[in-house]
Short mmCIF file of all heavy atoms in Angstrom, two decimals:
data_model
loop_
_atom_site.label_atom_id
_atom_site.label_comp_id
_atom_site.label_asym_id
_atom_site.label_seq_id
_atom_site.Cartn_x
_atom_site.Cartn_y
_atom_site.Cartn_z
N PHE N 58 79.41 11.60 30.35
CA PHE N 58 78.50 10.46 30.27
C PHE N 58 77.85 10.13 31.61
O PHE N 58 76.89 9.38 31.65
CB PHE N 58 79.23 9.23 29.72
CG PHE N 58 79.43 9.29 28.23
CD1 PHE N 58 80.62 9.74 27.68
CD2 PHE N 58 78.42 8.93 27.36
CE1 PHE N 58 80.79 9.81 26.32
CE2 PHE N 58 78.58 8.99 25.99
CZ PHE N 58 79.77 9.43 25.46
N ASP N 59 78.37 10.69 32.70
CA ASP N 59 77.70 10.50 34.00
C ASP N 59 76.41 11.32 34.06
O ASP N 59 75.41 10.87 34.60
CB ASP N 59 78.63 10.92 35.14
CG ASP N 59 79.80 9.95 35.29
OD1 ASP N 59 79.62 8.76 34.99
OD2 ASP N 59 80.88 10.41 35.71
N LYS N 60 76.42 12.51 33.48
CA LYS N 60 75.22 13.36 33.47
C LYS N 60 74.33 13.07 32.27
O LYS N 60 73.12 13.19 32.34
CB LYS N 60 75.62 14.84 33.44
CG LYS N 60 76.25 15.31 34.72
CD LYS N 60 76.58 16.78 34.62
CE LYS N 60 77.26 17.25 35.89
NZ LYS N 60 77.67 18.65 35.79
N ASN N 61 74.94 12.74 31.15
CA ASN N 61 74.21 12.50 29.90
C ASN N 61 74.59 11.12 29.41
O ASN N 61 75.61 10.94 28.75
CB ASN N 61 74.61 13.54 28.86
CG ASN N 61 74.44 14.95 29.37
OD1 ASN N 61 73.34 15.38 29.64
ND2 ASN N 61 75.54 15.66 29.54
N THR N 62 73.77 10.13 29.72
CA THR N 62 74.14 8.75 29.44
C THR N 62 74.08 8.39 27.96
O THR N 62 74.73 7.45 27.54
CB THR N 62 73.25 7.77 30.22
OG1 THR N 62 71.89 8.02 29.88
CG2 THR N 62 73.46 7.93 31.71
N THR N 63 73.29 9.14 27.18
CA THR N 63 73.23 8.84 25.75
C THR N 63 73.67 10.05 24.94
O THR N 63 73.58 11.19 25.39
CB THR N 63 71.79 8.47 25.32
OG1 THR N 63 70.93 9.55 25.60
CG2 THR N 63 71.33 7.21 26.03
N LEU N 64 74.16 9.78 23.75
CA LEU N 64 74.62 10.82 22.85
C LEU N 64 74.13 10.49 21.44
O LEU N 64 74.42 9.41 20.92
CB LEU N 64 76.15 10.89 22.86
CG LEU N 64 76.80 11.86 21.90
CD1 LEU N 64 76.38 13.29 22.18
CD2 LEU N 64 78.31 11.72 21.97
N ALA N 65 73.36 11.38 20.87
CA ALA N 65 72.88 11.18 19.51
C ALA N 65 74.06 11.27 18.54
O ALA N 65 74.98 12.07 18.74
CB ALA N 65 71.83 12.23 19.16
N LEU N 66 74.06 10.47 17.54
CA LEU N 66 75.14 10.45 16.56
C LEU N 66 74.83 11.36 15.37
O LEU N 66 75.13 11.04 14.22
CB LEU N 66 75.41 9.02 16.10
CG LEU N 66 75.87 8.07 17.21
CD1 LEU N 66 76.06 6.67 16.66
CD2 LEU N 66 77.16 8.57 17.86
N ASP N 67 74.25 12.52 15.66
CA ASP N 67 73.91 13.47 14.61
C ASP N 67 75.18 14.14 14.07
O ASP N 67 76.19 14.22 14.75
CB ASP N 67 72.99 14.56 15.17
CG ASP N 67 71.66 14.03 15.63
OD1 ASP N 67 71.38 12.84 15.39
OD2 ASP N 67 70.89 14.80 16.22
N GLY N 68 75.08 14.59 12.86
CA GLY N 68 76.19 15.34 12.27
C GLY N 68 76.52 14.88 10.89
O GLY N 68 75.74 14.23 10.20
N GLU N 69 77.73 15.22 10.48
CA GLU N 69 78.21 14.94 9.13
C GLU N 69 79.11 13.71 9.16
O GLU N 69 80.20 13.74 9.74
CB GLU N 69 79.00 16.17 8.65
CG GLU N 69 79.41 16.14 7.23
CD GLU N 69 80.17 17.40 6.88
OE1 GLU N 69 81.23 17.66 7.47
OE2 GLU N 69 79.68 18.12 6.00
N TRP N 70 78.64 12.63 8.53
CA TRP N 70 79.36 11.36 8.57
C TRP N 70 79.81 10.94 7.18
O TRP N 70 79.20 11.27 6.18
CB TRP N 70 78.46 10.26 9.15
CG TRP N 70 78.25 10.42 10.62
CD1 TRP N 70 77.17 10.94 11.24
CD2 TRP N 70 79.18 10.08 11.64
NE1 TRP N 70 77.35 10.94 12.59
CE2 TRP N 70 78.58 10.42 12.86
CE3 TRP N 70 80.45 9.53 11.65
CZ2 TRP N 70 79.22 10.22 14.09
CZ3 TRP N 70 81.07 9.32 12.88
CH2 TRP N 70 80.45 9.66 14.07
N GLU N 71 80.90 10.19 7.15
CA GLU N 71 81.39 9.65 5.88
C GLU N 71 80.36 8.69 5.32
O GLU N 71 79.73 7.93 6.05
CB GLU N 71 82.72 8.92 6.08
CG GLU N 71 83.86 9.85 6.38
CD GLU N 71 85.18 9.12 6.51
OE1 GLU N 71 85.24 7.90 6.25
OE2 GLU N 71 86.16 9.77 6.87
N PHE N 72 80.24 8.70 4.02
CA PHE N 72 79.23 7.89 3.34
C PHE N 72 79.89 7.28 2.11
O PHE N 72 80.46 7.98 1.29
CB PHE N 72 78.06 8.80 2.93
CG PHE N 72 76.92 8.08 2.28
CD1 PHE N 72 76.05 7.31 3.03
CD2 PHE N 72 76.72 8.18 0.92
CE1 PHE N 72 74.98 6.66 2.43
CE2 PHE N 72 75.66 7.52 0.31
CZ PHE N 72 74.80 6.77 1.07
N TYR N 73 79.86 5.98 2.03
CA TYR N 73 80.48 5.25 0.91
C TYR N 73 79.38 4.59 0.11
O TYR N 73 78.91 3.51 0.45
CB TYR N 73 81.47 4.22 1.45
CG TYR N 73 82.61 4.84 2.20
CD1 TYR N 73 82.53 5.07 3.58
CD2 TYR N 73 83.75 5.24 1.53
CE1 TYR N 73 83.56 5.65 4.26
CE2 TYR N 73 84.81 5.83 2.22
CZ TYR N 73 84.70 6.04 3.58
OH TYR N 73 85.74 6.62 4.25
N TRP N 74 78.96 5.24 -0.97
CA TRP N 74 77.86 4.75 -1.78
C TRP N 74 78.25 3.46 -2.48
O TRP N 74 79.29 3.39 -3.15
CB TRP N 74 77.46 5.81 -2.79
CG TRP N 74 76.36 5.38 -3.70
CD1 TRP N 74 76.44 5.22 -5.05
CD2 TRP N 74 75.02 5.04 -3.34
NE1 TRP N 74 75.25 4.80 -5.54
CE2 TRP N 74 74.34 4.68 -4.51
CE3 TRP N 74 74.33 4.99 -2.14
CZ2 TRP N 74 73.01 4.29 -4.53
CZ3 TRP N 74 73.01 4.60 -2.16
CH2 TRP N 74 72.36 4.26 -3.34
N GLN N 75 77.45 2.42 -2.31
CA GLN N 75 77.60 1.11 -2.92
C GLN N 75 78.95 0.46 -2.62
O GLN N 75 79.50 -0.27 -3.43
CB GLN N 75 77.38 1.19 -4.43
CG GLN N 75 75.96 1.59 -4.78
CD GLN N 75 75.70 1.59 -6.26
OE1 GLN N 75 76.59 1.82 -7.07
NE2 GLN N 75 74.44 1.36 -6.61
N ASN N 76 79.47 0.71 -1.43
CA ASN N 76 80.71 0.08 -0.98
C ASN N 76 80.53 -0.39 0.45
O ASN N 76 80.00 0.32 1.29
CB ASN N 76 81.89 1.06 -1.04
CG ASN N 76 82.36 1.27 -2.44
OD1 ASN N 76 82.87 0.35 -3.07
ND2 ASN N 76 82.19 2.48 -2.94
N PHE N 77 80.99 -1.58 0.71
CA PHE N 77 80.97 -2.14 2.05
C PHE N 77 82.41 -2.12 2.55
O PHE N 77 83.27 -2.83 2.02
CB PHE N 77 80.40 -3.56 2.01
CG PHE N 77 80.20 -4.17 3.37
CD1 PHE N 77 79.46 -3.51 4.34
CD2 PHE N 77 80.73 -5.41 3.67
CE1 PHE N 77 79.26 -4.07 5.59
CE2 PHE N 77 80.54 -5.98 4.91
CZ PHE N 77 79.81 -5.31 5.88
N LEU N 78 82.70 -1.29 3.54
CA LEU N 78 84.09 -1.06 3.95
C LEU N 78 84.79 -2.31 4.46
O LEU N 78 85.99 -2.43 4.32
CB LEU N 78 84.15 0.02 5.01
CG LEU N 78 83.88 1.42 4.52
CD1 LEU N 78 84.08 2.42 5.64
CD2 LEU N 78 84.75 1.77 3.35
N LYS N 79 84.06 -3.23 5.04
CA LYS N 79 84.70 -4.44 5.53
C LYS N 79 85.33 -5.21 4.36
O LYS N 79 86.38 -5.82 4.51
CB LYS N 79 83.68 -5.31 6.26
CG LYS N 79 84.29 -6.48 6.98
CD LYS N 79 83.25 -7.19 7.82
CE LYS N 79 83.89 -8.33 8.57
NZ LYS N 79 82.93 -9.05 9.40
N GLU N 80 84.68 -5.15 3.20
CA GLU N 80 85.21 -5.84 2.03
C GLU N 80 86.23 -5.00 1.28
O GLU N 80 87.07 -5.52 0.57
CB GLU N 80 84.06 -6.20 1.09
CG GLU N 80 83.11 -7.21 1.68
CD GLU N 80 81.90 -7.44 0.80
OE1 GLU N 80 81.79 -6.81 -0.27
OE2 GLU N 80 81.05 -8.26 1.18
N ASN N 81 86.16 -3.67 1.42
CA ASN N 81 87.06 -2.75 0.69
C ASN N 81 87.67 -1.75 1.66
O ASN N 81 87.38 -0.56 1.59
CB ASN N 81 86.27 -1.99 -0.38
CG ASN N 81 85.66 -2.90 -1.41
OD1 ASN N 81 86.32 -3.80 -1.89
ND2 ASN N 81 84.41 -2.67 -1.73
N PRO N 82 88.57 -2.17 2.55
CA PRO N 82 89.10 -1.22 3.54
C PRO N 82 90.01 -0.16 2.95
O PRO N 82 90.24 0.86 3.58
CB PRO N 82 89.87 -2.12 4.51
CG PRO N 82 90.23 -3.32 3.71
CD PRO N 82 89.13 -3.51 2.71
N ASP N 83 90.51 -0.34 1.74
CA ASP N 83 91.44 0.62 1.14
C ASP N 83 90.81 1.36 -0.03
O ASP N 83 91.41 1.50 -1.09
CB ASP N 83 92.71 -0.11 0.67
CG ASP N 83 93.43 -0.78 1.83
OD1 ASP N 83 93.51 -0.15 2.91
OD2 ASP N 83 93.92 -1.90 1.66
#
Side-chain angles (χ1 to χ4, degrees):
F58 283 97
D59 291 329
K60 291 181 182 177
N61 307 295
T62 57
T63 60
L64 175 62
L66 298 178
D67 296 352
E69 188 180 61
W70 288 101
E71 290 183 6
F72 183 75
Y73 297 90
W74 178 244
Q75 295 184 331
N76 284 295
F77 187 53
L78 289 184
K79 189 173 182 180
E80 295 174 0
N81 299 315
D83 299 319

